[in-house]
Every structure is written in structure tokens, then in C-alpha cells.
Amino acid sequence: MNTEETFLKEKLVPALKKIDPGTKGNWGVMSPQQMVEHLGDSIAIAYGKIVLPVVTPPEKKEALYQFLMSDIPFKENTKNPLLGEIPPPPKFSNMDEAIEKLQKRLSIFFETFEKNPGLITTHPIFNKLNYAENMRLLYKHSKHHLKQFGIED
């Protein structure tokens, strides 16, 4: 297992459980639960459960891909063109339930690509991604939001 896979399989959920649901982020407007639900949705996009149209102009595709594959982290307050200024209300009754759903989606992500190793899914910002590219994105995205709530390696 590489670093990203190990992190997603073994470290992400325990790190999320360290965040107090009342914590205010170092930036942004999401609550911890909203952030967990947002990460869960990004996992569902990675294995194709949630399908959204690509919003990135073709001329930005290569630059975004280079960023994705680099070690450059997401910047604080990176704007997601699919999210408004105000995050959606929580879907689950509490943070524990949101983390449980995220954990299930992570399991489905790994199972889906294990059964279909050549699967390519479409991300609304990064376009067509294979397993390694999706895993890279999930890793960078998760690290970004953990840092937002004060959890770093």
C-alpha cells in the first residue's frame, strides 16, 4: 500500500473522530459535520455514485491535472465552484452518523476499483480520473479539510 492508500484506509476516519463537532474551522464556513459530509460526497463522486457535469474549462484541464499530481496542497479557502457561499445543511443527525456514512463510502470506493481496476470516473473539476488519480485527489482533499480543523500529521 502506498502512503495515500494507507492514509485513506487506516488514518482518515480516526483523524475525523478527533474533531469536536463544535470546533470552528481555521478558515471557511463549514462545520465539522458539513465537512465530513462534503468529504463523503467527494468519495461517492470518485467511485461514480454521484455524477455531476464537468465545470472546468478545457483550457484549464492540464494545469489542474498538474496540480493534482503535485505535492502542492490545496490553499486555504479554495473555492469549489459547485458549492455556494453557504454550505448545505447537514444531511445526517450528527457527526458520528456522517463519519459512519463516509467510512461506508470509503469501503465502496476501494471495493469498486478492486472489482473494476480500469474504471475511469468523472470528477466535476478534475475531469476523467482513474483509481490512482482519484485516490490522490481524495488524499489531498482530506488532508486539506483535516488541516482546516486543526488535525495535521
Side-chain angles (χ1 to χ4, degrees):
M1 257 190 300
N2 67 25
T3 302
E4 295 160 359
E5 192 172 26
T6 299
F7 174 81
L8 292 170
K9 285 184 173 181
E10 300 174 9
K11 298 180 180 179
L12 175 58
V13 170
L16 292 171
K17 289 180 178 180
K18 291 180 184 177
I19 302 171
D20 182 289
T23 301
K24 178 159 176 28
N26 295 320
W27 67 82
V29 295
M30 282 192 235
S31 71
Q33 183 174 336
Q34 288 167 319
M35 177 272 291
V36 170
E37 291 181 12
H38 168 68
L39 287 178
D41 287 347
S42 69
I43 294 165
I45 289 169
Y47 67 82
K49 177 177 175 59
I50 296 175
V51 179
L52 299 169
V54 175
V55 297
T56 301
E59 64 273 11
K60 292 188 177 184
K61 181 181 171 193
E62 183 58 32
L64 280 170
Y65 184 78
Q66 292 304 318
F67 163 75
L68 174 62
M69 300 314 289
S70 76
D71 290 331
I72 300 168
F74 283 100
K75 292 179 184 173
E76 295 178 6
N77 284 312
T78 297
K79 297 294 180 204
N80 181 329
L82 299 169
L83 298 177
E85 293 298 315
I86 300 170
K91 295 179 270 191
F92 302 108
S93 59
N94 58 51
M95 185 137 155
D96 288 338
E97 189 179 336
I99 291 171
E100 184 180 309
K101 181 67 170 182
L102 179 144
Q103 192 165 24
K104 285 179 185 174
R105 285 182 165 177
L106 267 176
S107 294
I108 294 167
F109 169 78
F110 288 110
E111 289 168 10
T112 298
F113 279 97
E114 187 176 304
K115 291 176 185 170
N116 306 288
L119 179 65
I120 304 291
T121 58
T122 301
H123 188 275
I125 296 167
F126 292 95
N127 210 334
K128 303 286 184 195
L129 300 176
N130 64 24
Y131 172 70
E133 294 160 342
N134 270 300
M135 196 166 43
R136 178 80 176 153
L137 176 56
L138 293 175
Y139 173 81
K140 285 179 85 156
H141 190 204
S142 297
K143 296 288 269 188
H144 167 75
H145 284 296
L146 287 172
K147 184 177 178 187
Q148 178 185 13
F149 287 95
I151 305 293
E152 298 183 56
D153 289 340

Short mmCIF file of all heavy atoms in Angstrom, two decimals, residues 7 12 15-16 19 23-28 35 39 71-77 139-153:
data_model
loop_
_atom_site.label_atom_id
_atom_site.label_comp_id
_atom_site.label_asym_id
_atom_site.label_seq_id
_atom_site.Cartn_x
_atom_site.Cartn_y
_atom_site.Cartn_z
N PHE A 7 -3.28 6.03 4.22
CA PHE A 7 -3.97 7.13 4.90
C PHE A 7 -5.48 6.97 4.79
O PHE A 7 -6.20 7.06 5.79
CB PHE A 7 -3.53 8.47 4.31
CG PHE A 7 -4.30 9.63 4.87
CD1 PHE A 7 -3.97 10.16 6.11
CD2 PHE A 7 -5.38 10.17 4.19
CE1 PHE A 7 -4.71 11.21 6.64
CE2 PHE A 7 -6.11 11.21 4.71
CZ PHE A 7 -5.77 11.74 5.94
N LEU A 12 -7.72 8.21 7.98
CA LEU A 12 -8.68 9.29 7.79
C LEU A 12 -9.80 9.25 8.83
O LEU A 12 -10.07 10.25 9.50
CB LEU A 12 -9.27 9.26 6.37
CG LEU A 12 -10.38 10.29 6.10
CD1 LEU A 12 -9.89 11.71 6.36
CD2 LEU A 12 -10.90 10.14 4.68
N ALA A 15 -8.78 10.17 12.33
CA ALA A 15 -8.49 11.61 12.39
C ALA A 15 -9.78 12.41 12.47
O ALA A 15 -9.88 13.37 13.25
CB ALA A 15 -7.66 12.03 11.19
N LEU A 16 -10.78 12.03 11.68
CA LEU A 16 -12.06 12.74 11.71
C LEU A 16 -12.73 12.62 13.08
O LEU A 16 -13.38 13.56 13.56
CB LEU A 16 -13.00 12.21 10.62
CG LEU A 16 -12.58 12.52 9.19
CD1 LEU A 16 -13.46 11.75 8.20
CD2 LEU A 16 -12.61 14.01 8.90
N ILE A 19 -12.04 15.29 15.82
CA ILE A 19 -12.57 16.65 15.70
C ILE A 19 -13.84 16.79 16.53
O ILE A 19 -14.80 16.04 16.34
CB ILE A 19 -12.86 17.01 14.23
CG1 ILE A 19 -11.59 16.88 13.39
CG2 ILE A 19 -13.43 18.42 14.12
CD1 ILE A 19 -11.83 16.99 11.88
N THR A 23 -16.16 22.46 16.95
CA THR A 23 -14.95 23.18 16.54
C THR A 23 -15.24 24.11 15.37
O THR A 23 -15.93 23.74 14.43
CB THR A 23 -13.85 22.18 16.12
OG1 THR A 23 -13.56 21.33 17.22
CG2 THR A 23 -12.59 22.90 15.68
N LYS A 24 -14.69 25.32 15.44
CA LYS A 24 -14.76 26.24 14.32
C LYS A 24 -13.50 26.04 13.49
O LYS A 24 -12.41 25.92 14.02
CB LYS A 24 -14.85 27.68 14.82
CG LYS A 24 -14.88 28.69 13.68
CD LYS A 24 -15.46 30.01 14.11
CE LYS A 24 -15.43 31.06 13.05
NZ LYS A 24 -15.46 30.70 11.66
N GLY A 25 -13.66 26.00 12.19
CA GLY A 25 -12.51 25.81 11.30
C GLY A 25 -11.56 26.99 11.31
O GLY A 25 -11.94 28.12 11.63
N ASN A 26 -10.33 26.72 10.94
CA ASN A 26 -9.32 27.78 10.82
C ASN A 26 -9.62 28.69 9.64
O ASN A 26 -9.07 29.78 9.55
CB ASN A 26 -7.92 27.16 10.66
CG ASN A 26 -7.50 26.41 11.91
OD1 ASN A 26 -7.75 26.86 13.02
ND2 ASN A 26 -6.89 25.26 11.73
N TRP A 27 -10.44 28.23 8.73
CA TRP A 27 -10.93 29.03 7.59
C TRP A 27 -12.23 28.40 7.12
O TRP A 27 -12.59 27.31 7.54
CB TRP A 27 -9.90 29.10 6.45
CG TRP A 27 -9.66 27.80 5.77
CD1 TRP A 27 -10.42 27.22 4.78
CD2 TRP A 27 -8.61 26.86 6.02
NE1 TRP A 27 -9.90 25.99 4.42
CE2 TRP A 27 -8.79 25.76 5.15
CE3 TRP A 27 -7.53 26.84 6.90
CZ2 TRP A 27 -7.93 24.67 5.14
CZ3 TRP A 27 -6.67 25.76 6.88
CH2 TRP A 27 -6.88 24.69 6.01
N GLY A 28 -12.92 29.11 6.26
CA GLY A 28 -14.15 28.59 5.68
C GLY A 28 -15.34 28.68 6.62
O GLY A 28 -15.22 29.15 7.76
N MET A 35 -18.26 19.38 6.78
CA MET A 35 -17.01 18.99 6.12
C MET A 35 -16.96 17.48 5.91
O MET A 35 -16.59 17.01 4.83
CB MET A 35 -15.82 19.48 6.96
CG MET A 35 -14.46 19.06 6.42
SD MET A 35 -13.86 17.45 7.00
CE MET A 35 -13.54 17.77 8.72
N LEU A 39 -16.73 15.59 2.37
CA LEU A 39 -15.74 14.57 2.00
C LEU A 39 -16.42 13.27 1.58
O LEU A 39 -15.98 12.62 0.63
CB LEU A 39 -14.79 14.30 3.17
CG LEU A 39 -13.74 15.36 3.49
CD1 LEU A 39 -12.92 14.94 4.70
CD2 LEU A 39 -12.85 15.65 2.30
N ASP A 71 2.80 17.73 -5.23
CA ASP A 71 2.73 17.71 -3.76
C ASP A 71 2.22 19.03 -3.20
O ASP A 71 2.24 19.23 -1.99
CB ASP A 71 4.12 17.39 -3.18
CG ASP A 71 4.54 15.95 -3.44
OD1 ASP A 71 3.65 15.09 -3.55
OD2 ASP A 71 5.75 15.71 -3.54
N ILE A 72 1.77 19.91 -4.05
CA ILE A 72 1.25 21.20 -3.62
C ILE A 72 -0.13 20.98 -2.99
O ILE A 72 -1.02 20.41 -3.62
CB ILE A 72 1.14 22.18 -4.80
CG1 ILE A 72 2.51 22.42 -5.42
CG2 ILE A 72 0.50 23.50 -4.36
CD1 ILE A 72 2.47 23.13 -6.76
N PRO A 73 -0.32 21.42 -1.73
CA PRO A 73 -1.62 21.23 -1.10
C PRO A 73 -2.65 22.25 -1.61
O PRO A 73 -2.28 23.28 -2.19
CB PRO A 73 -1.34 21.46 0.39
CG PRO A 73 -0.15 22.37 0.40
CD PRO A 73 0.66 22.03 -0.84
N PHE A 74 -3.91 21.96 -1.37
CA PHE A 74 -4.96 22.94 -1.64
C PHE A 74 -4.70 24.15 -0.75
O PHE A 74 -4.31 24.01 0.41
CB PHE A 74 -6.35 22.37 -1.31
CG PHE A 74 -6.90 21.42 -2.31
CD1 PHE A 74 -6.83 20.05 -2.11
CD2 PHE A 74 -7.51 21.89 -3.46
CE1 PHE A 74 -7.36 19.15 -3.03
CE2 PHE A 74 -8.05 21.01 -4.39
CZ PHE A 74 -7.97 19.64 -4.18
N LYS A 75 -4.95 25.33 -1.26
CA LYS A 75 -4.81 26.55 -0.48
C LYS A 75 -5.99 26.69 0.48
O LYS A 75 -7.09 26.20 0.19
CB LYS A 75 -4.78 27.78 -1.40
CG LYS A 75 -3.56 27.85 -2.26
CD LYS A 75 -3.62 29.08 -3.16
CE LYS A 75 -2.43 29.08 -4.10
NZ LYS A 75 -2.53 30.14 -5.10
N GLU A 76 -5.75 27.38 1.57
CA GLU A 76 -6.85 27.71 2.48
C GLU A 76 -7.88 28.50 1.69
O GLU A 76 -7.53 29.29 0.81
CB GLU A 76 -6.33 28.54 3.65
CG GLU A 76 -5.37 27.79 4.53
CD GLU A 76 -4.81 28.63 5.67
OE1 GLU A 76 -5.25 29.78 5.86
OE2 GLU A 76 -3.92 28.12 6.37
N ASN A 77 -9.14 28.28 2.00
CA ASN A 77 -10.25 28.98 1.35
C ASN A 77 -10.35 28.74 -0.15
O ASN A 77 -10.90 29.57 -0.87
CB ASN A 77 -10.19 30.50 1.63
CG ASN A 77 -10.66 30.82 3.02
OD1 ASN A 77 -11.70 30.36 3.46
ND2 ASN A 77 -9.87 31.61 3.73
N TYR A 139 -6.97 11.97 -1.09
CA TYR A 139 -5.92 12.19 -0.09
C TYR A 139 -5.68 13.69 0.11
O TYR A 139 -5.72 14.20 1.23
CB TYR A 139 -4.64 11.48 -0.55
CG TYR A 139 -3.43 11.75 0.30
CD1 TYR A 139 -3.24 11.07 1.50
CD2 TYR A 139 -2.46 12.67 -0.10
CE1 TYR A 139 -2.11 11.32 2.29
CE2 TYR A 139 -1.34 12.91 0.68
CZ TYR A 139 -1.18 12.24 1.87
OH TYR A 139 -0.07 12.48 2.64
N LYS A 140 -5.43 14.40 -0.98
CA LYS A 140 -5.15 15.85 -0.88
C LYS A 140 -6.35 16.60 -0.31
O LYS A 140 -6.19 17.50 0.52
CB LYS A 140 -4.81 16.42 -2.27
CG LYS A 140 -3.42 16.06 -2.75
CD LYS A 140 -3.14 16.63 -4.13
CE LYS A 140 -2.64 18.04 -4.04
NZ LYS A 140 -1.83 18.44 -5.21
N HIS A 141 -7.53 16.23 -0.74
CA HIS A 141 -8.75 16.90 -0.29
C HIS A 141 -8.97 16.65 1.21
O HIS A 141 -9.28 17.58 1.97
CB HIS A 141 -9.92 16.38 -1.13
CG HIS A 141 -11.19 17.13 -0.94
ND1 HIS A 141 -12.42 16.56 -1.20
CD2 HIS A 141 -11.46 18.40 -0.55
CE1 HIS A 141 -13.37 17.44 -0.96
NE2 HIS A 141 -12.82 18.58 -0.56
N SER A 142 -8.78 15.41 1.64
CA SER A 142 -8.96 15.07 3.05
C SER A 142 -7.93 15.79 3.93
O SER A 142 -8.28 16.34 4.98
CB SER A 142 -8.83 13.56 3.26
OG SER A 142 -9.85 12.88 2.57
N LYS A 143 -6.68 15.80 3.51
CA LYS A 143 -5.63 16.49 4.27
C LYS A 143 -5.96 17.97 4.40
O LYS A 143 -5.75 18.57 5.46
CB LYS A 143 -4.27 16.29 3.61
CG LYS A 143 -3.79 14.84 3.57
CD LYS A 143 -3.38 14.32 4.90
CE LYS A 143 -1.93 14.57 5.13
NZ LYS A 143 -1.42 13.92 6.34
N HIS A 144 -6.46 18.56 3.33
CA HIS A 144 -6.84 19.97 3.33
C HIS A 144 -7.90 20.24 4.41
O HIS A 144 -7.76 21.18 5.21
CB HIS A 144 -7.38 20.34 1.94
CG HIS A 144 -8.08 21.65 1.85
ND1 HIS A 144 -7.40 22.85 1.87
CD2 HIS A 144 -9.39 21.96 1.73
CE1 HIS A 144 -8.27 23.85 1.77
NE2 HIS A 144 -9.48 23.34 1.68
N HIS A 145 -8.93 19.41 4.45
CA HIS A 145 -10.00 19.66 5.41
C HIS A 145 -9.61 19.26 6.84
O HIS A 145 -10.10 19.88 7.80
CB HIS A 145 -11.29 18.96 4.97
CG HIS A 145 -11.97 19.70 3.86
ND1 HIS A 145 -12.48 20.97 4.02
CD2 HIS A 145 -12.21 19.36 2.57
CE1 HIS A 145 -13.01 21.38 2.88
NE2 HIS A 145 -12.86 20.42 1.98
N LEU A 146 -8.74 18.29 7.01
CA LEU A 146 -8.25 18.00 8.36
C LEU A 146 -7.46 19.19 8.89
O LEU A 146 -7.61 19.58 10.05
CB LEU A 146 -7.39 16.73 8.35
CG LEU A 146 -8.16 15.42 8.18
CD1 LEU A 146 -7.20 14.26 8.00
CD2 LEU A 146 -9.10 15.17 9.36
N LYS A 147 -6.62 19.77 8.04
CA LYS A 147 -5.86 20.95 8.43
C LYS A 147 -6.80 22.10 8.77
O LYS A 147 -6.57 22.86 9.72
CB LYS A 147 -4.91 21.36 7.30
CG LYS A 147 -4.00 22.51 7.65
CD LYS A 147 -3.05 22.82 6.51
CE LYS A 147 -2.19 24.02 6.86
NZ LYS A 147 -1.37 24.45 5.73
N GLN A 148 -7.89 22.22 8.04
CA GLN A 148 -8.89 23.26 8.30
C GLN A 148 -9.38 23.18 9.75
O GLN A 148 -9.64 24.21 10.38
CB GLN A 148 -10.06 23.08 7.33
CG GLN A 148 -11.20 24.06 7.53
CD GLN A 148 -12.38 23.77 6.62
OE1 GLN A 148 -12.46 22.70 6.01
NE2 GLN A 148 -13.31 24.70 6.55
N PHE A 149 -9.48 21.97 10.27
CA PHE A 149 -9.99 21.78 11.64
C PHE A 149 -8.88 21.39 12.63
O PHE A 149 -9.15 20.81 13.67
CB PHE A 149 -11.14 20.77 11.63
CG PHE A 149 -12.38 21.37 11.04
CD1 PHE A 149 -12.67 21.19 9.71
CD2 PHE A 149 -13.21 22.18 11.79
CE1 PHE A 149 -13.80 21.78 9.14
CE2 PHE A 149 -14.33 22.78 11.24
CZ PHE A 149 -14.63 22.58 9.90
N GLY A 150 -7.64 21.74 12.28
CA GLY A 150 -6.54 21.61 13.23
C GLY A 150 -5.95 20.23 13.39
O GLY A 150 -5.21 19.98 14.33
N ILE A 151 -6.25 19.32 12.46
CA ILE A 151 -5.69 17.97 12.53
C ILE A 151 -4.64 17.83 11.44
O ILE A 151 -4.94 17.89 10.26
CB ILE A 151 -6.78 16.88 12.32
CG1 ILE A 151 -7.94 17.06 13.30
CG2 ILE A 151 -6.18 15.48 12.40
CD1 ILE A 151 -7.61 16.82 14.75
N GLU A 152 -3.38 17.69 11.85
CA GLU A 152 -2.29 17.52 10.89
C GLU A 152 -1.40 16.39 11.38
O GLU A 152 -1.32 16.12 12.57
CB GLU A 152 -1.48 18.82 10.76
CG GLU A 152 -2.31 19.98 10.24
CD GLU A 152 -1.47 21.22 10.05
OE1 GLU A 152 -0.49 21.15 9.31
OE2 GLU A 152 -1.82 22.25 10.64
N ASP A 153 -0.68 15.80 10.43
CA ASP A 153 0.28 14.74 10.81
C ASP A 153 1.44 15.35 11.56
O ASP A 153 1.85 16.45 11.35
CB ASP A 153 0.81 14.03 9.56
CG ASP A 153 -0.24 13.16 8.91
OD1 ASP A 153 -1.22 12.81 9.58
OD2 ASP A 153 -0.06 12.84 7.73
#
